[in-house]
Each structure stands twice: as structure tokens, then as C-alpha cells.
Amino acid sequence: LMMTCKTEKRPRLLSLEDAAEMIESGDSIWVGSFLSTPSLFLDELADHCEELHNVTVLGCHYTNYSKLLVDPKYKKVFSVISFFEPAMFRSTKFVASNIEHIKKPGRPYQKTLVDKFNINTMIVEVCPPDNYGNCNVGVTGRTITPYLSKCEGITKKIAVINNLQRPSLAKGELISLPLSDFDYI
């Protein structure tokens, strides 16, 4: 990977299993929106349910299957919140019964989310980094994730690089994050 500056911090590499082991009881995790939600990470996190309690998982909409979202046994450990109304889930191919739907928080989203839900961890799927070390947040990750990445309260930032993630081509919005903004990839 090329970085724009040699003094920038470089995120450490880790497996999804190692990322799940970093989650602690009481953590509040932002997992992105729609296709930028790391479903494989959620499955890995579910495998650690015996070691955890009171973990909150927040996202805008969960479109990919994860056992954490559907198996009732995980509701005892994980509180999963979506900011989209249940009507949106008619297009989803699975029944995500573990999700609590709440109204989208007021603006600015990042401040409201961090303050109201005490988000301290962010793990989201991003596109592979470009030649400058920037990761596009993907076509569905551009609304909230870039802003949350700048919040001081988020102390663990993990990028899951997905070669199949479609990049956002939006103009006027923050759509890429420096890989150096993340602690781990």
C-alpha cells in the first residue's frame, strides 16, 4: 500500500476472529449501512457470545444474512439496532428477528449517535485502498460512516476491506477515508 506520508500511522492487520476478540462487554459498535455492514464479522462476533454481555450493534439497515441477526439465542447478549423502519425489510431475503427498529436520530447524526448510544467501536466494510491510501466507504456507506470516523469517542476503528464493495461516486460528500484513520484492517 502506498501512503501519502511516511509518518502516517499504519493500521495493523488482523483476522475477523481477532477483531471479534477485541470486542468487550458493554461496547457499542457501529457496523455501517446496507452493503457496508461486515456480515462475516457479525457471525464471528456471535461465536463469542459466551464471553460477552451487553454489547450494542448499530447500523442503518442489515441486508446480508448473519446468525447474530436471526438466532434468538444472541438477543441475550447483543442489542442490535437499525435506523430504518421495518417496512424496509420486506426486500430482505431473511427474517432478521433480533433487530430493534428505532427512528433515525436527529442531525448531526454522528454527534447524536456517539452521544446517545456511546459508540466506542466502528467496524465497516470499505473498498480496497487507492494509490494514496484512501478507502472509499462504498456506495451505501457514505451517509454516516465518514462522519463517525472523525468522532473522538470512537476508540477502536476497524476496516474490513472487501474487493467486491462497489465504490461511491457521490460528489460533495466525504466518500473516502484514509486507511491511516483505522487502527486495524
Side-chain angles (χ1 to χ4, degrees):
L1 300 174
M2 284 181 56
M3 296 298 216
T4 56
C5 178
K6 291 184 182 200
T7 60
E8 287 182 341
K9 78 171 187 175
R10 292 192 181 223
R12 291 186 9 207
L13 291 172
L14 75 157
S15 67
L16 288 176
E17 181 179 352
D18 290 339
E21 288 175 2
M22 292 178 62
I23 303 304
E24 300 172 15
S25 293
D27 277 355
S28 187
I29 309 165
W30 174 255
V31 294
S33 311
F34 295 88
L35 300 174
S36 68
T37 303
S39 298
L40 294 176
F41 166 76
L42 292 178
D43 280 345
E44 198 61 53
L45 184 60
D47 290 343
H48 292 271
C49 72
E50 300 292 325
E51 307 146 25
L52 298 168
H53 65 277
N54 194 29
V55 175
T56 303
V57 177
L58 301 119
C60 276
H61 183 58
Y62 303 92
T63 55
N64 295 322
Y65 174 86
S66 167
K67 60 188 172 188
L68 188 132
L69 304 176
V70 299
D71 191 330
K73 76 177 184 181
Y74 299 114
K75 264 186 136 173
K76 298 173 189 167
V77 176
F78 302 103
S79 172
V80 181
I81 297 172
S82 171
F83 299 109
F84 268 84
E85 298 299 321
M88 287 290 292
F89 285 86
R90 290 184 187 136
S91 63
T92 303
K93 294 179 181 172
F94 60 92
V95 177
S97 58
N98 293 350
I99 299 174
E100 175 186 357
H101 303 276
I102 63 172
K103 187 177 178 182
K104 220 175 196 181
R107 292 194 182 263
Y109 293 132
Q110 71 276 20
K111 180 160 179 34
T112 303
L113 287 170
V114 171
D115 291 350
K116 184 173 181 177
F117 297 101
N118 300 313
I119 296 175
N120 67 330
T121 302
M122 180 174 77
I123 179 163
V124 293
E125 284 192 1
V126 295
C127 299
D130 62 20
N131 289 337
Y132 302 103
N134 296 312
C135 294
N136 190 297
V137 293
V139 70
T140 61
R142 64 190 170 93
T143 307
I144 300 174
T145 297
Y147 303 104
L148 285 177
S149 73
K150 305 298 182 198
C151 292
E152 291 180 20
I154 300 179
T155 58
K156 291 180 270 195
K157 297 177 186 172
I158 303 169
V160 177
I161 296 176
N162 181 346
N163 291 329
L164 301 176
Q165 184 70 263
R166 293 181 55 205
S168 174
L169 303 174
K171 296 191 186 291
E173 290 187 52
L174 182 60
I175 59 171
S176 290
L177 299 173
L179 193 59
S180 60
D181 276 6
F182 293 94
D183 304 305
Y184 303 93
I185 56 173

